[in-house]
Structure formats: structure tokens, C-alpha cells
Amino acid sequence: DGGITQSPKYLFRKEGQNVTLSCEQNLNHDAMYWYRQDPGQGLRLIYYSQIVNDFQKGDIAEGYSVSREKKESFPLTVTSAQKNPTAFYLCASSIIEWSRNQPQHFGDGTRLSIL
Amino acid sequence: DQQVKQNSPSLSVQEGRISILNCDYTNSMFDYFLWYKKYPAEGPTFLISISSIKDKNEDGRFTVFLNKSAKHLSLHIVPSQPGDSAVYFCAASARRNNNNDMRFGAGTRLTVKP
């Protein structure tokens, strides 16, 4: 059955290390998104991509990088430049339909913690 | 900047009664509004949406009301069931930006007591 798969569910990182979070979707959605959730706050957009080989910064892109080499995959790298990386990371995807609104659909998230 | 606000962090309701979750927004360009439901350790699940050309959208026990002049929307759940206990996020976006600027509220934790 179709869906969005994020892995791993829990991830630990040492100070100064880069770490990559995986997001794969088999919904044939054009757009993919990465959000960060912190306690007591709404989701904040890190990066999004509407088409393969193209992506745009969201509100809090500093310290993060992404790639979109395949339609199905949108990995997020948390670099050592991200000063406060401990958070719950959510990947989402959606259809792009110019004439009608479409909701975003989410994976189950990856919780990143710093050791 | 908090363009979408859910001012009640929590709500407790008795089973069978109505649950009303509220959401306010500040950006008048928003024209698409959604509610998501989230269980612990899972991602948000899309629940219901409404376009700004409507003021009400109903799907089974769930109804979303939109008051554009007040920049306010609400989600009504009738009757509430224990399985509805979750965190509910309100979200809003502008279709002219292809919904890439979706903004989320901080969520309201609903507890439905048996």
C-alpha cells in the first residue's frame, strides 16, 4: 500500500557530525517537504521540492541540506552547522494540482537526539 | 511570526459530547485551511480541509467552520469518541504559492473521557 516512509524512527548524533534522514514515498507525488517540530510549537518548514533536481529553502533552512535526485526520495542532511538539531523531523508529500488545493501527507517522523 | 494560532493547548471532553477546537490566523492571503490529527510517535494525518470560498465543510462526525471576517476556523467533532483523543493541528496556506507556505498552529491536545 502507498505511503511515506521515514527512517530511522530514532537517531542519535554526536556533536560535530552530519547525519542524513531518509524519506521515501510511493504515492507518485510531485512535491515533498521537510518540517521540524519542537515541543509546544507548530511545524516549521525546512526545505521543499516540487520537481526532481530542484528544491527551495523554507523558513529554517540554515544548517540543513537536501537533494531530490529521484521523485520518490527526498533525504535531509542535518549538518554540524545546525546548532540545535534535537527535534522531531517530519517529511511530507503532496500532489501538485494548479486548479485545486491538495493536502500534504506525512510520514511517521524521525526523532533526532544529540549525544 | 505565528500566522496560525491555536490558543488552547488542551481540551477535555466527555464521550458523546461535542468537541470544539479553535484556530485563528493573521494572514489574509490564506485561502486553504486544514486540520490534521496526530497520535504519539506517528506523523500527522490529514482530517478535513476547507477552501475560503466556503464557510462550512462536513465529513461524517467532523465539521470545519470558517469565518473569514474574523480570521477564525473551528473543528467540531460530534459525537466525540475516546479514539479521537490526539493532538489536532490547524494549518493554512495560500494556493497562489501552491501551498508551499503552509503554516501550522502549535496544536491542541484533545482528551475524550469515557
Side-chain angles (χ1 to χ4, degrees), chain A residues 21-49:
Chain A
L21 283 62
S22 169
C23 179
E24 304 277 331
Q25 54 100 358
N26 60 5
L27 301 167
N28 200 32
H29 285 176
D30 299 297
M32 296 187 74
Y33 310 82
W34 274 104
Y35 291 90
R36 169 182 172 139
Q37 186 187 13
D38 293 284
Q41 295 191 36
L43 282 63
R44 292 183 291 166
L45 183 63
I46 304 172
Y47 268 98
Y48 68 92
S49 167

PDB file of all heavy atoms in Angstrom, chain A residues 21-49:
ATOM      1  N   LEU A  21      18.667  11.948   7.194  1.00  0.00           N
ATOM      2  CA  LEU A  21      17.370  11.339   7.450  1.00  0.00           C
ATOM      3  C   LEU A  21      16.746  10.962   6.104  1.00  0.00           C
ATOM      4  O   LEU A  21      16.744  11.766   5.164  1.00  0.00           O
ATOM      5  CB  LEU A  21      16.457  12.329   8.175  1.00  0.00           C
ATOM      6  CG  LEU A  21      16.677  12.568   9.658  1.00  0.00           C
ATOM      7  CD1 LEU A  21      18.054  13.140   9.950  1.00  0.00           C
ATOM      8  CD2 LEU A  21      15.610  13.497  10.206  1.00  0.00           C
ATOM      9  N   SER A  22      16.201   9.766   6.068  1.00  0.00           N
ATOM     10  CA  SER A  22      15.651   9.262   4.815  1.00  0.00           C
ATOM     11  C   SER A  22      14.149   9.513   4.729  1.00  0.00           C
ATOM     12  O   SER A  22      13.429   9.435   5.730  1.00  0.00           O
ATOM     13  CB  SER A  22      15.916   7.761   4.724  1.00  0.00           C
ATOM     14  OG  SER A  22      15.198   7.179   3.668  1.00  0.00           O
ATOM     15  N   CYS A  23      13.671   9.826   3.523  1.00  0.00           N
ATOM     16  CA  CYS A  23      12.244   9.948   3.255  1.00  0.00           C
ATOM     17  C   CYS A  23      11.966   9.405   1.863  1.00  0.00           C
ATOM     18  O   CYS A  23      12.537   9.882   0.875  1.00  0.00           O
ATOM     19  CB  CYS A  23      11.785  11.396   3.355  1.00  0.00           C
ATOM     20  SG  CYS A  23      10.022  11.602   2.993  1.00  0.00           S
ATOM     21  N   GLU A  24      11.102   8.405   1.810  1.00  0.00           N
ATOM     22  CA  GLU A  24      10.722   7.784   0.537  1.00  0.00           C
ATOM     23  C   GLU A  24       9.203   7.751   0.439  1.00  0.00           C
ATOM     24  O   GLU A  24       8.525   7.444   1.413  1.00  0.00           O
ATOM     25  CB  GLU A  24      11.233   6.347   0.469  1.00  0.00           C
ATOM     26  CG  GLU A  24      12.738   6.194   0.670  1.00  0.00           C
ATOM     27  CD  GLU A  24      13.522   6.441  -0.595  1.00  0.00           C
ATOM     28  OE1 GLU A  24      12.973   6.197  -1.698  1.00  0.00           O
ATOM     29  OE2 GLU A  24      14.683   6.895  -0.506  1.00  0.00           O
ATOM     30  N   GLN A  25       8.680   8.059  -0.773  1.00  0.00           N
ATOM     31  CA  GLN A  25       7.234   7.966  -0.962  1.00  0.00           C
ATOM     32  C   GLN A  25       6.941   7.198  -2.254  1.00  0.00           C
ATOM     33  O   GLN A  25       7.659   7.332  -3.245  1.00  0.00           O
ATOM     34  CB  GLN A  25       6.579   9.369  -0.977  1.00  0.00           C
ATOM     35  CG  GLN A  25       7.180  10.338  -1.989  1.00  0.00           C
ATOM     36  CD  GLN A  25       6.406  10.501  -3.270  1.00  0.00           C
ATOM     37  OE1 GLN A  25       5.368   9.855  -3.481  1.00  0.00           O
ATOM     38  NE2 GLN A  25       6.901  11.360  -4.153  1.00  0.00           N
ATOM     39  N   ASN A  26       5.874   6.396  -2.206  1.00  0.00           N
ATOM     40  CA  ASN A  26       5.439   5.655  -3.393  1.00  0.00           C
ATOM     41  C   ASN A  26       4.036   6.074  -3.804  1.00  0.00           C
ATOM     42  O   ASN A  26       3.271   5.266  -4.333  1.00  0.00           O
ATOM     43  CB  ASN A  26       5.536   4.151  -3.158  1.00  0.00           C
ATOM     44  CG  ASN A  26       4.683   3.694  -1.993  1.00  0.00           C
ATOM     45  OD1 ASN A  26       3.942   4.475  -1.404  1.00  0.00           O
ATOM     46  ND2 ASN A  26       4.787   2.421  -1.643  1.00  0.00           N
ATOM     47  N   LEU A  27       3.716   7.337  -3.529  1.00  0.00           N
ATOM     48  CA  LEU A  27       2.403   7.889  -3.863  1.00  0.00           C
ATOM     49  C   LEU A  27       2.408   8.596  -5.207  1.00  0.00           C
ATOM     50  O   LEU A  27       1.383   9.127  -5.631  1.00  0.00           O
ATOM     51  CB  LEU A  27       1.977   8.876  -2.761  1.00  0.00           C
ATOM     52  CG  LEU A  27       1.874   8.276  -1.353  1.00  0.00           C
ATOM     53  CD1 LEU A  27       1.772   9.381  -0.305  1.00  0.00           C
ATOM     54  CD2 LEU A  27       0.675   7.352  -1.271  1.00  0.00           C
ATOM     55  N   ASN A  28       3.583   8.648  -5.841  1.00  0.00           N
ATOM     56  CA  ASN A  28       3.749   9.367  -7.100  1.00  0.00           C
ATOM     57  C   ASN A  28       3.447  10.866  -6.947  1.00  0.00           C
ATOM     58  O   ASN A  28       2.969  11.509  -7.885  1.00  0.00           O
ATOM     59  CB  ASN A  28       2.865   8.773  -8.216  1.00  0.00           C
ATOM     60  CG  ASN A  28       3.363   9.163  -9.603  1.00  0.00           C
ATOM     61  OD1 ASN A  28       4.564   9.335  -9.835  1.00  0.00           O
ATOM     62  ND2 ASN A  28       2.431   9.322 -10.539  1.00  0.00           N
ATOM     63  N   HIS A  29       3.733  11.389  -5.770  1.00  0.00           N
ATOM     64  CA  HIS A  29       3.527  12.812  -5.523  1.00  0.00           C
ATOM     65  C   HIS A  29       4.687  13.620  -6.083  1.00  0.00           C
ATOM     66  O   HIS A  29       5.853  13.214  -6.027  1.00  0.00           O
ATOM     67  CB  HIS A  29       3.415  13.079  -4.022  1.00  0.00           C
ATOM     68  CG  HIS A  29       2.092  12.653  -3.458  1.00  0.00           C
ATOM     69  ND1 HIS A  29       1.801  12.724  -2.099  1.00  0.00           N
ATOM     70  CD2 HIS A  29       0.972  12.177  -4.050  1.00  0.00           C
ATOM     71  CE1 HIS A  29       0.571  12.310  -1.910  1.00  0.00           C
ATOM     72  NE2 HIS A  29       0.044  11.964  -3.063  1.00  0.00           N
ATOM     73  N   ASP A  30       4.350  14.789  -6.613  1.00  0.00           N
ATOM     74  CA  ASP A  30       5.384  15.646  -7.177  1.00  0.00           C
ATOM     75  C   ASP A  30       6.172  16.397  -6.112  1.00  0.00           C
ATOM     76  O   ASP A  30       7.380  16.549  -6.203  1.00  0.00           O
ATOM     77  CB  ASP A  30       4.747  16.687  -8.119  1.00  0.00           C
ATOM     78  CG  ASP A  30       4.039  16.026  -9.275  1.00  0.00           C
ATOM     79  OD1 ASP A  30       4.716  15.356 -10.067  1.00  0.00           O
ATOM     80  OD2 ASP A  30       2.799  16.168  -9.375  1.00  0.00           O
ATOM     81  N   ALA A  31       5.476  16.898  -5.103  1.00  0.00           N
ATOM     82  CA  ALA A  31       6.111  17.774  -4.121  1.00  0.00           C
ATOM     83  C   ALA A  31       6.447  17.007  -2.851  1.00  0.00           C
ATOM     84  O   ALA A  31       5.697  16.129  -2.412  1.00  0.00           O
ATOM     85  CB  ALA A  31       5.175  18.935  -3.783  1.00  0.00           C
ATOM     86  N   MET A  32       7.582  17.350  -2.273  1.00  0.00           N
ATOM     87  CA  MET A  32       7.983  16.777  -0.995  1.00  0.00           C
ATOM     88  C   MET A  32       8.503  17.890  -0.105  1.00  0.00           C
ATOM     89  O   MET A  32       9.011  18.912  -0.578  1.00  0.00           O
ATOM     90  CB  MET A  32       9.048  15.685  -1.191  1.00  0.00           C
ATOM     91  CG  MET A  32       8.524  14.496  -1.984  1.00  0.00           C
ATOM     92  SD  MET A  32       9.657  13.118  -2.084  1.00  0.00           S
ATOM     93  CE  MET A  32       9.546  12.424  -0.420  1.00  0.00           C
ATOM     94  N   TYR A  33       8.355  17.674   1.220  1.00  0.00           N
ATOM     95  CA  TYR A  33       8.636  18.716   2.203  1.00  0.00           C
ATOM     96  C   TYR A  33       9.338  18.117   3.423  1.00  0.00           C
ATOM     97  O   TYR A  33       9.103  16.962   3.784  1.00  0.00           O
ATOM     98  CB  TYR A  33       7.324  19.356   2.695  1.00  0.00           C
ATOM     99  CG  TYR A  33       6.383  19.793   1.616  1.00  0.00           C
ATOM    100  CD1 TYR A  33       5.518  18.890   1.001  1.00  0.00           C
ATOM    101  CD2 TYR A  33       6.326  21.124   1.204  1.00  0.00           C
ATOM    102  CE1 TYR A  33       4.645  19.280   0.006  1.00  0.00           C
ATOM    103  CE2 TYR A  33       5.446  21.523   0.209  1.00  0.00           C
ATOM    104  CZ  TYR A  33       4.609  20.593  -0.383  1.00  0.00           C
ATOM    105  OH  TYR A  33       3.740  20.997  -1.366  1.00  0.00           O
ATOM    106  N   TRP A  34      10.150  18.938   4.074  1.00  0.00           N
ATOM    107  CA  TRP A  34      10.700  18.581   5.378  1.00  0.00           C
ATOM    108  C   TRP A  34      10.298  19.647   6.391  1.00  0.00           C
ATOM    109  O   TRP A  34      10.458  20.848   6.142  1.00  0.00           O
ATOM    110  CB  TRP A  34      12.221  18.494   5.347  1.00  0.00           C
ATOM    111  CG  TRP A  34      12.731  17.161   4.908  1.00  0.00           C
ATOM    112  CD1 TRP A  34      13.262  16.821   3.707  1.00  0.00           C
ATOM    113  CD2 TRP A  34      12.762  15.964   5.698  1.00  0.00           C
ATOM    114  NE1 TRP A  34      13.618  15.494   3.694  1.00  0.00           N
ATOM    115  CE2 TRP A  34      13.320  14.944   4.906  1.00  0.00           C
ATOM    116  CE3 TRP A  34      12.379  15.659   7.010  1.00  0.00           C
ATOM    117  CZ2 TRP A  34      13.511  13.644   5.367  1.00  0.00           C
ATOM    118  CZ3 TRP A  34      12.556  14.372   7.472  1.00  0.00           C
ATOM    119  CH2 TRP A  34      13.123  13.376   6.648  1.00  0.00           C
ATOM    120  N   TYR A  35       9.786  19.173   7.535  1.00  0.00           N
ATOM    121  CA  TYR A  35       9.411  20.049   8.628  1.00  0.00           C
ATOM    122  C   TYR A  35      10.152  19.632   9.886  1.00  0.00           C
ATOM    123  O   TYR A  35      10.547  18.482  10.047  1.00  0.00           O
ATOM    124  CB  TYR A  35       7.912  19.949   8.924  1.00  0.00           C
ATOM    125  CG  TYR A  35       7.006  20.504   7.862  1.00  0.00           C
ATOM    126  CD1 TYR A  35       6.531  19.706   6.829  1.00  0.00           C
ATOM    127  CD2 TYR A  35       6.602  21.836   7.905  1.00  0.00           C
ATOM    128  CE1 TYR A  35       5.690  20.209   5.865  1.00  0.00           C
ATOM    129  CE2 TYR A  35       5.749  22.349   6.938  1.00  0.00           C
ATOM    130  CZ  TYR A  35       5.305  21.534   5.926  1.00  0.00           C
ATOM    131  OH  TYR A  35       4.456  22.044   4.968  1.00  0.00           O
ATOM    132  N   ARG A  36      10.237  20.584  10.780  1.00  0.00           N
ATOM    133  CA  ARG A  36      10.787  20.323  12.108  1.00  0.00           C
ATOM    134  C   ARG A  36       9.728  20.692  13.132  1.00  0.00           C
ATOM    135  O   ARG A  36       9.061  21.726  13.010  1.00  0.00           O
ATOM    136  CB  ARG A  36      12.031  21.194  12.292  1.00  0.00           C
ATOM    137  CG  ARG A  36      12.571  21.245  13.680  1.00  0.00           C
ATOM    138  CD  ARG A  36      13.763  22.152  13.806  1.00  0.00           C
ATOM    139  NE  ARG A  36      14.100  22.290  15.208  1.00  0.00           N
ATOM    140  CZ  ARG A  36      15.353  22.297  15.673  1.00  0.00           C
ATOM    141  NH1 ARG A  36      16.369  22.186  14.848  1.00  0.00           N
ATOM    142  NH2 ARG A  36      15.567  22.425  16.961  1.00  0.00           N
ATOM    143  N   GLN A  37       9.568  19.820  14.139  1.00  0.00           N
ATOM    144  CA  GLN A  37       8.640  20.136  15.222  1.00  0.00           C
ATOM    145  C   GLN A  37       9.389  20.163  16.541  1.00  0.00           C
ATOM    146  O   GLN A  37      10.092  19.214  16.883  1.00  0.00           O
ATOM    147  CB  GLN A  37       7.515  19.099  15.303  1.00  0.00           C
ATOM    148  CG  GLN A  37       6.452  19.480  16.323  1.00  0.00           C
ATOM    149  CD  GLN A  37       5.421  18.400  16.560  1.00  0.00           C
ATOM    150  OE1 GLN A  37       5.590  17.257  16.154  1.00  0.00           O
ATOM    151  NE2 GLN A  37       4.348  18.757  17.212  1.00  0.00           N
ATOM    152  N   ASP A  38       9.228  21.247  17.273  1.00  0.00           N
ATOM    153  CA  ASP A  38       9.777  21.379  18.618  1.00  0.00           C
ATOM    154  C   ASP A  38       8.619  21.423  19.611  1.00  0.00           C
ATOM    155  O   ASP A  38       7.505  21.816  19.257  1.00  0.00           O
ATOM    156  CB  ASP A  38      10.622  22.654  18.721  1.00  0.00           C
ATOM    157  CG  ASP A  38      11.871  22.566  17.858  1.00  0.00           C
ATOM    158  OD1 ASP A  38      12.803  21.862  18.274  1.00  0.00           O
ATOM    159  OD2 ASP A  38      11.899  23.173  16.770  1.00  0.00           O
ATOM    160  N   PRO A  39       8.885  21.046  20.863  1.00  0.00           N
ATOM    161  CA  PRO A  39       7.789  20.997  21.860  1.00  0.00           C
ATOM    162  C   PRO A  39       7.038  22.315  21.946  1.00  0.00           C
ATOM    163  O   PRO A  39       7.647  23.384  22.031  1.00  0.00           O
ATOM    164  CB  PRO A  39       8.539  20.680  23.159  1.00  0.00           C
ATOM    165  CG  PRO A  39       9.769  19.970  22.720  1.00  0.00           C
ATOM    166  CD  PRO A  39      10.163  20.600  21.424  1.00  0.00           C
ATOM    167  N   GLY A  40       5.717  22.227  21.935  1.00  0.00           N
ATOM    168  CA  GLY A  40       4.880  23.415  22.089  1.00  0.00           C
ATOM    169  C   GLY A  40       4.832  24.314  20.873  1.00  0.00           C
ATOM    170  O   GLY A  40       4.273  25.416  20.945  1.00  0.00           O
ATOM    171  N   GLN A  41       5.381  23.860  19.771  1.00  0.00           N
ATOM    172  CA  GLN A  41       5.367  24.683  18.562  1.00  0.00           C
ATOM    173  C   GLN A  41       4.740  23.926  17.407  1.00  0.00           C
ATOM    174  O   GLN A  41       4.689  22.700  17.398  1.00  0.00           O
ATOM    175  CB  GLN A  41       6.804  25.070  18.170  1.00  0.00           C
ATOM    176  CG  GLN A  41       7.499  25.964  19.169  1.00  0.00           C
ATOM    177  CD  GLN A  41       8.788  26.523  18.611  1.00  0.00           C
ATOM    178  OE1 GLN A  41       8.882  26.836  17.426  1.00  0.00           O
ATOM    179  NE2 GLN A  41       9.791  26.667  19.465  1.00  0.00           N
ATOM    180  N   GLY A  42       4.291  24.704  16.434  1.00  0.00           N
ATOM    181  CA  GLY A  42       3.805  24.090  15.210  1.00  0.00           C
ATOM    182  C   GLY A  42       4.954  23.607  14.352  1.00  0.00           C
ATOM    183  O   GLY A  42       6.126  23.815  14.680  1.00  0.00           O
ATOM    184  N   LEU A  43       4.628  22.975  13.246  1.00  0.00           N
ATOM    185  CA  LEU A  43       5.644  22.506  12.318  1.00  0.00           C
ATOM    186  C   LEU A  43       6.246  23.691  11.565  1.00  0.00           C
ATOM    187  O   LEU A  43       5.526  24.597  11.134  1.00  0.00           O
ATOM    188  CB  LEU A  43       5.018  21.531  11.305  1.00  0.00           C
ATOM    189  CG  LEU A  43       4.749  20.117  11.769  1.00  0.00           C
ATOM    190  CD1 LEU A  43       3.735  20.056  12.890  1.00  0.00           C
ATOM    191  CD2 LEU A  43       4.271  19.276  10.597  1.00  0.00           C
ATOM    192  N   ARG A  44       7.552  23.661  11.396  1.00  0.00           N
ATOM    193  CA  ARG A  44       8.233  24.728  10.646  1.00  0.00           C
ATOM    194  C   ARG A  44       8.926  24.126   9.432  1.00  0.00           C
ATOM    195  O   ARG A  44       9.603  23.102   9.542  1.00  0.00           O
ATOM    196  CB  ARG A  44       9.233  25.454  11.549  1.00  0.00           C
ATOM    197  CG  ARG A  44       8.570  26.272  12.657  1.00  0.00           C
ATOM    198  CD  ARG A  44       9.594  27.034  13.465  1.00  0.00           C
ATOM    199  NE  ARG A  44      10.418  26.148  14.266  1.00  0.00           N
ATOM    200  CZ  ARG A  44      11.554  26.504  14.851  1.00  0.00           C
ATOM    201  NH1 ARG A  44      12.007  27.747  14.706  1.00  0.00           N
ATOM    202  NH2 ARG A  44      12.243  25.645  15.590  1.00  0.00           N
ATOM    203  N   LEU A  45       8.788  24.774   8.295  1.00  0.00           N
ATOM    204  CA  LEU A  45       9.269  24.251   7.028  1.00  0.00           C
ATOM    205  C   LEU A  45      10.770  24.466   6.891  1.00  0.00           C
ATOM    206  O   LEU A  45      11.266  25.594   7.033  1.00  0.00           O
ATOM    207  CB  LEU A  45       8.526  24.931   5.876  1.00  0.00           C
ATOM    208  CG  LEU A  45       8.863  24.459   4.466  1.00  0.00           C
ATOM    209  CD1 LEU A  45       8.477  22.990   4.282  1.00  0.00           C
ATOM    210  CD2 LEU A  45       8.150  25.336   3.435  1.00  0.00           C
ATOM    211  N   ILE A  46      11.488  23.388   6.564  1.00  0.00           N
ATOM    212  CA  ILE A  46      12.940  23.455   6.382  1.00  0.00           C
ATOM    213  C   ILE A  46      13.261  23.612   4.893  1.00  0.00           C
ATOM    214  O   ILE A  46      13.944  24.553   4.485  1.00  0.00           O
ATOM    215  CB  ILE A  46      13.618  22.189   6.932  1.00  0.00           C
ATOM    216  CG1 ILE A  46      13.256  21.968   8.400  1.00  0.00           C
ATOM    217  CG2 ILE A  46      15.138  22.289   6.781  1.00  0.00           C
ATOM    218  CD1 ILE A  46      13.739  20.628   8.960  1.00  0.00           C
ATOM    219  N   TYR A  47      12.801  22.673   4.081  1.00  0.00           N
ATOM    220  CA  TYR A  47      13.026  22.695   2.635  1.00  0.00           C
ATOM    221  C   TYR A  47      11.802  22.069   1.964  1.00  0.00           C
ATOM    222  O   TYR A  47      11.095  21.266   2.555  1.00  0.00           O
ATOM    223  CB  TYR A  47      14.250  21.859   2.253  1.00  0.00           C
ATOM    224  CG  TYR A  47      15.562  22.597   2.171  1.00  0.00           C
ATOM    225  CD1 TYR A  47      16.459  22.568   3.238  1.00  0.00           C
ATOM    226  CD2 TYR A  47      15.919  23.300   1.027  1.00  0.00           C
ATOM    227  CE1 TYR A  47      17.678  23.230   3.159  1.00  0.00           C
ATOM    228  CE2 TYR A  47      17.138  23.968   0.945  1.00  0.00           C
ATOM    229  CZ  TYR A  47      18.009  23.929   2.020  1.00  0.00           C
ATOM    230  OH  TYR A  47      19.218  24.586   1.947  1.00  0.00           O
ATOM    231  N   TYR A  48      11.601  22.420   0.699  1.00  0.00           N
ATOM    232  CA  TYR A  48      10.606  21.727  -0.098  1.00  0.00           C
ATOM    233  C   TYR A  48      11.101  21.592  -1.540  1.00  0.00           C
ATOM    234  O   TYR A  48      11.987  22.328  -1.971  1.00  0.00           O
ATOM    235  CB  TYR A  48       9.247  22.416  -0.029  1.00  0.00           C
ATOM    236  CG  TYR A  48       9.170  23.780  -0.691  1.00  0.00           C
ATOM    237  CD1 TYR A  48       8.781  23.924  -2.018  1.00  0.00           C
ATOM    238  CD2 TYR A  48       9.465  24.936   0.050  1.00  0.00           C
ATOM    239  CE1 TYR A  48       8.690  25.178  -2.608  1.00  0.00           C
ATOM    240  CE2 TYR A  48       9.390  26.181  -0.532  1.00  0.00           C
ATOM    241  CZ  TYR A  48       8.997  26.300  -1.854  1.00  0.00           C
ATOM    242  OH  TYR A  48       8.917  27.545  -2.433  1.00  0.00           O
ATOM    243  N   SER A  49      10.484  20.644  -2.226  1.00  0.00           N
ATOM    244  CA  SER A  49      10.860  20.380  -3.615  1.00  0.00           C
ATOM    245  C   SER A  49       9.599  20.073  -4.403  1.00  0.00           C
ATOM    246  O   SER A  49       8.779  19.261  -3.980  1.00  0.00           O
ATOM    247  CB  SER A  49      11.817  19.182  -3.678  1.00  0.00           C
ATOM    248  OG  SER A  49      11.965  18.714  -4.999  1.00  0.00           O
TER     249      SER A  49
END
